[in-house]
Amino acid sequence: MNKLSPLHDKIYCALSGSAADAQTIAEIVNYQLDVHSIEVDEDPLVCSAATLVKNISYKYKEELSAHLIVAGWDRRAGGQVYATLNGLLTRQPFAVGGSGSFYIYGFVDAEYRSDMTRQECQEFVVNSLSLAMSRDGSSGGVAYVVTIDSEGVEEKCILGNQLPTFYDPDI
């Protein structure tokens, strides 16, 4: 399953938790952002999308089991990443989530740099996903990567046999 869902033209979210719950939140926010952007005749802000996700997640925290990371680019603040969880909203340089994230916190903390190039960022994400998938039975198969900047959106799908390995599979 592709766990990246568009919320608007330059805003996406990463889904984790119950697939149905996460997809429902993403669809509701996508609809609300579409209506909002038509009303104001401008693209929505990434923070606005993250706030909508946070509000829905908090309001229905007893009924829904989902965690969404919202990221994107807007005219006011450029590239942004927000973690949303049960009413919490925090802007971070990067965020990880889902069952595989527990395996890679040390890796991402050690490898993240704020001055990475576009290619280095994509490699960082693919390496992080590969490590998580190799250790978590609920993660994996392929890596979906979305890169968003002022120019637009680039989507990639890296198949399992093209993902890097960090161990010798013949042992």
Side-chain angles (χ1 to χ4, degrees):
M1 170 184 169
N2 184 352
K3 295 183 179 182
L4 300 176
S5 182
L7 298 178
H8 204 266
D9 295 343
K10 292 184 180 178
I11 306 172
Y12 275 64
C13 65
L15 313 172
S16 65
S18 163
D21 291 352
Q23 287 174 331
T24 299
I25 294 170
E27 289 171 6
I28 291 168
V29 171
N30 175 267
Y31 172 78
Q32 290 180 349
L33 290 176
D34 282 347
V35 170
H36 174 71
S37 66
I38 291 168
E39 288 175 342
V40 299
D41 197 28
E42 289 184 339
D43 287 340
L45 301 176
V46 179
C47 185
S48 298
T51 300
L52 285 170
V53 169
K54 177 208 52 136
N55 289 346
I56 293 167
S57 299
Y58 183 72
K59 183 175 182 178
Y60 299 103
K61 67 180 179 257
E62 300 299 324
E63 293 85 12
L64 298 174
S65 175
H67 174 218
L68 280 66
I69 297 170
V70 178
W73 187 95
D74 66 44
R75 68 200 175 284
R76 190 174 294 168
Q80 301 149 75
V81 176
Y82 291 90
T84 66
L85 181 62
N86 295 332
L88 170 73
L89 178 64
T90 179
R91 183 174 175 184
Q92 301 174 292
F94 69 91
V96 295
S99 58
S101 66
F102 298 105
Y103 299 103
I104 62 168
Y105 279 108
F107 173 79
V108 296
D109 286 343
E111 295 297 316
Y112 174 79
R113 295 186 342 268
S114 61
D115 63 344
M116 286 190 276
T117 66
R118 179 186 187 97
Q119 184 172 342
E120 288 173 328
C121 285
Q122 291 173 343
E123 187 176 309
F124 169 73
V125 170
V126 170
N127 288 344
S128 299
L129 290 170
S130 293
L131 284 166
M133 288 187 283
S134 69
R135 289 165 175 78
D136 178 43
S138 299
S139 297
V142 300
Y144 293 96
V145 179
V146 174
T147 306
I148 307 167
D149 61 19
S150 62
E151 302 300 313
V153 174
E154 175 190 1
E155 296 185 44
K156 290 182 183 178
C157 176
I158 298 107
L159 301 178
N161 63 348
Q162 298 170 332
L163 292 170
T165 55
F166 296 89
Y167 59 91
D168 185 352
D170 296 328
I171 295 179

